Amino acid sequence: MKKITISDIAQKAGVSKATVSLVLNDKPINVSSGTRENILRISKELNYIPNSIARSLITNKTDTIGLILPDIVNPFFSEIARAIEDTAGKMNYNVMLCNSDSNSFKEEKYSKLLVSKLVSGSIFISGGNSQKSLEILRDNGIPVVLVDRYVEPSKGYSGVFCSNREGIYEAVEYLHKKNRKNIALITGSMSLETSKLRLQAYREITENLKMYNENLVCEGNYSVEGGVNSTEKLLELNDKIDAIIYCSDVMALGGIKVLKRKKLKVPKDISVVGYDDISFCEYVEPELTTIRQPIYDMGKEAFRLLIQIINGEVKEKKISFKSKLIIRGTA
């Protein structure tokens, strides 16, 4: 089927293509309001869609931003994506979603794709080892805002982050007051700065409480499978564990599955704390105690910050939120 063009609209409206183009692009033109309304009505009736690629080649600008994230299946990242898309829609921007699967090769591939598509900017959530991908975007003049995960060196990049310290401190102190003596921590991949910062906070507070034990720390990854595998490994090494802090809620859900299989009661035998406060936390039984990050707000502010950079209002800026312990049934 033939694609509708401005020639079709011009022919039906009885005006020139130039007139149609000026009206559809809302440019100043000396035509009557009746002619303008007729052109707009016909374009709507014919379901005319402008060629945004052709327009972007002329203006070297699109109303599209790229979003690179590591795992769309993880509700934490999908909620950030939702916030970005909601906010973009209100400001008449489109979002091109790229799921890297925490694979640096795919990150680089998507970074090149965004450059080729002339996106106005990019919101970037690292899957680890992302320096090359960021260089590709930066060297091609694509403004970037990092979200959640720091990428070293962070100088020169704007970002929206949540402190990894307060929530871990609150969780350990709370569990300690509940007379938990062997509080384990399951981190994400140590290639990620968030994992390092959460481990650092855990080590500081447990050393302050004279209860740090390196055998209670286990590296995992931010997935249900990561929670399952790390929990099994921890329990094999230490049968005195009475609390586990997971560095993501999806890991905690996998861990609870293991605990139930081993006939361990939550929270009577082992208290469980997650991290993020994804929407599922209130729908498991018992409800998941977790360290809340303001996920939606982080996504919303990331998009707003990117637009400020695109418009030249801000050059480099970092926005920081605080994490907070939310007490529910698992602790």
Side-chain angles (χ1 to χ4, degrees):
M1 183 178 289
K2 178 178 174 290
K3 174 177 168 56
I4 300 298
T5 67
I6 60 172
S7 296
D8 300 312
I9 299 171
Q11 185 177 4
K12 192 167 184 178
V15 298
S16 68
K17 291 193 294 182
T19 298
V20 173
S21 178
L22 290 168
V23 168
L24 294 181
N25 287 290
D26 201 24
K27 300 291 185 182
I29 183 174
N30 187 23
V31 297
S32 68
S33 59
T35 299
R36 180 182 292 274
E37 289 173 7
N38 189 42
I39 291 171
L40 294 174
R41 178 183 59 78
I42 291 170
S43 68
K44 186 175 182 180
E45 286 177 355
L46 295 177
N47 293 320
Y48 170 72
I49 300 174
N51 189 331
S52 60
I53 296 176
R55 182 183 300 173
S56 66
L57 289 172
I58 296 170
T59 62
N60 201 31
K61 180 182 177 183
T62 64
D63 293 326
T64 300
I65 66 109
L67 169 59
I68 298 179
L69 48 75
D71 182 10
I72 192 61
V73 175
N74 188 323
F76 174 79
F77 299 116
S78 57
E79 187 166 341
I80 285 182
R82 176 62 184 271
I84 291 168
E85 188 177 42
D86 287 349
T87 312
K90 292 174 183 176
M91 299 180 71
N92 296 317
Y93 270 79
N94 303 305
V95 179
M96 184 181 295
L97 175 63
C98 305
N99 178 50
S100 72
D101 290 322
S102 297
N103 182 301
S104 58
F105 175 78
K106 289 184 72 174
E107 274 190 355
E108 292 174 25
K109 177 183 174 183
Y110 282 131
S111 296
K112 292 174 182 176
L113 175 67
L114 296 182
V115 171
S116 72
K117 296 297 183 181
L118 298 177
V119 295
S120 299
S122 175
I123 296 175
F124 194 102
I125 308 178
S126 171
N129 303 316
S130 300
Q131 290 86 349
K132 179 62 177 177
S133 299
L134 290 172
E135 286 174 8
I136 291 169
L137 295 169
R138 182 194 61 196
D139 293 347
N140 285 278
I142 305 296
V144 175
V145 170
L146 303 175
V147 181
D148 180 53
R149 296 176 174 180
Y150 300 88
V151 177
E152 293 296 336
S154 61
K155 187 177 180 181
Y157 293 106
S158 296
V160 176
F161 308 103
C162 187
S163 170
N164 293 274
R165 189 171 185 274
E166 293 92 354
I168 293 289
Y169 262 65
E170 280 189 80
V172 172
E173 289 174 340
Y174 174 78
L175 293 168
H176 182 253
K177 288 177 182 177
K178 290 289 183 180
N179 204 34
R180 300 300 182 179
K181 303 298 185 184
N182 293 279
I183 304 170
L185 178 76
I186 295 181
T187 73
S189 168
M190 294 309 293
S191 67
L192 298 169
E193 198 67 20
T194 50
S195 299
K196 296 175 185 176
L197 291 169
R198 290 169 194 177
L199 174 58
Q200 180 182 340
Y202 166 85
R203 181 162 188 162
E204 287 174 1
I205 183 61
T206 52
E207 284 182 345
N208 289 344
L209 295 171
K210 309 277 194 251
M211 55 190 299
Y212 177 73
N213 181 349
E214 63 180 13
N215 293 323
L216 293 176
V217 176
C218 184
E219 179 181 354
N221 61 68
Y222 293 127
S223 67
V224 173
E225 293 79 10
V228 168
N229 296 335
S230 299
T231 303
E232 289 177 341
K233 182 178 178 180
L234 263 180
L235 294 178
E236 286 174 5
L237 296 174
N238 194 326
D239 61 2
K240 294 183 179 179
I241 292 172
D242 52 19
I244 304 176
I245 299 173
Y246 294 85
C247 283
S248 81
D249 290 334
V250 292
M251 293 172 74
L253 296 178
I256 289 173
K257 185 175 182 179
V258 172
L259 298 177
K260 288 184 175 180
R261 282 177 176 174
K262 293 183 177 294
K263 309 300 182 185
L264 293 168
K265 295 180 180 179
V266 177
K268 183 179 178 181
D269 299 322
I270 295 184
S271 295
V272 170
V273 176
Y275 204 112
D276 291 334
D277 197 25
I278 59 176
S279 57
F280 292 170
C281 291
E282 296 182 82
Y283 299 102
V284 296
E285 186 60 40
E287 294 181 359
L288 184 62
T289 295
T290 187
I291 298 166
R292 173 180 291 167
Q293 298 195 88
I295 306 171
Y296 194 92
D297 288 342
M298 290 169 68
K300 180 172 67 175
E301 290 305 313
F303 182 82
R304 289 178 173 175
L305 177 56
L306 181 60
I307 297 304
Q308 289 177 337
I309 296 170
I310 291 169
N311 293 336
E313 299 167 16
V314 173
K315 186 174 181 181
E316 182 182 342
K317 182 178 179 181
K318 291 181 173 62
I319 298 173
S320 182
F321 290 89
K322 287 189 176 181
S323 54
K324 177 179 176 60
L325 179 66
I326 305 298
I327 300 169
R328 298 194 181 101
T330 59

